[in-house]
Amino acid sequence: YLLPAPTLVTGSCSHTRHVMHIVFVLGGPGAGKGTQCLTASAEFAAVAHFSAGDLLRAERKKGSERGEMIEHYIKEGLIVPAEVTIGLLKTAIESSPATIFLIDGFPRSIDQGELFEKMIQPCTAVLHLEASEQVCADRILARAAANPDSVRVDDNLESLHKRFKTHREVCYPVVEHYAKQNKVKEIDATRAVEEVTADFRGHLTELFGELQ
């Protein structure tokens, strides 16, 4: 089914704008969330992509006290306090003219999702990229080997084990939570990237009609 056309409203964000749609893009580390979101945002002007992880890493590099706190959480594979992440996402969303926002790798807990929806607005849908931990680990380590200058602080086996454990115990229940609301679209992310992209685009078209 298609969602109604956007109309002008004032929502939780601080200024009046056309209705915006929030799409949470979830999946384990290495499932391809960033790749798919970047492709969609490059293809469609109405779509913007914000990675919670990228926003946190950018803040971390500033060397502030908050950045040092984020550094500790990321190194330990732990979840950064929701207020910090949501604050960064809210600022990014409010500065964009887009109407469809792909939120990559967030929420990472049910509490985070509920707080986001209280502070900003409820999500329209969740796109879940499903891939085994082995497939994801192989991708991440291959990426790190191919691009040693851009290796992330948590792209190593020790941190990966922690990240997968967090995903299993804390993040995956988020998918189940939204599945109960009939908001989840499942995507098999073990296939070739072109096939995954076709499915990803297809779900966006199903939700929002033909995008420009």
Side-chain angles (χ1 to χ4, degrees), residues 26-140:
L26 303 179
K33 301 181 297 294
T35 297
Q36 295 305 323
C37 290
L38 283 169
T39 299
S41 62
E43 184 175 358
F44 304 116
V47 176
H49 162 225
F50 293 119
S51 161
D54 286 350
L55 291 172
L56 289 168
R57 283 185 284 274
E59 186 69 21
R60 186 190 76 207
K61 290 179 180 177
K62 293 179 181 178
S64 62
E65 183 176 343
R66 180 164 67 173
E68 291 178 3
M69 178 268 290
I70 292 170
E71 170 90 9
H72 168 74
Y73 277 89
I74 289 178
K75 275 188 174 179
E76 292 301 314
L78 301 173
I79 294 176
V80 175
E83 292 80 2
V84 175
T85 308
I86 294 171
L88 294 172
L89 286 167
K90 190 171 189 290
T91 298
I93 289 170
E94 290 182 341
S95 66
S96 171
T99 55
I100 299 166
F101 294 92
L102 304 178
I103 309 299
D104 167 6
F106 187 91
R108 298 188 64 205
S109 71
I110 292 172
D111 287 347
Q112 277 191 350
E114 291 177 341
L115 185 58
F116 178 100
E117 295 187 324
K118 181 178 180 181
M119 291 179 61
I120 301 179
Q121 74 172 50
C123 74
T124 299
V126 175
L127 299 183
H128 179 223
L129 278 65
E130 181 67 56
S132 70
E133 291 182 10
Q134 187 61 56
V135 167
C136 291
D138 289 346
R139 286 177 178 171
I140 291 170

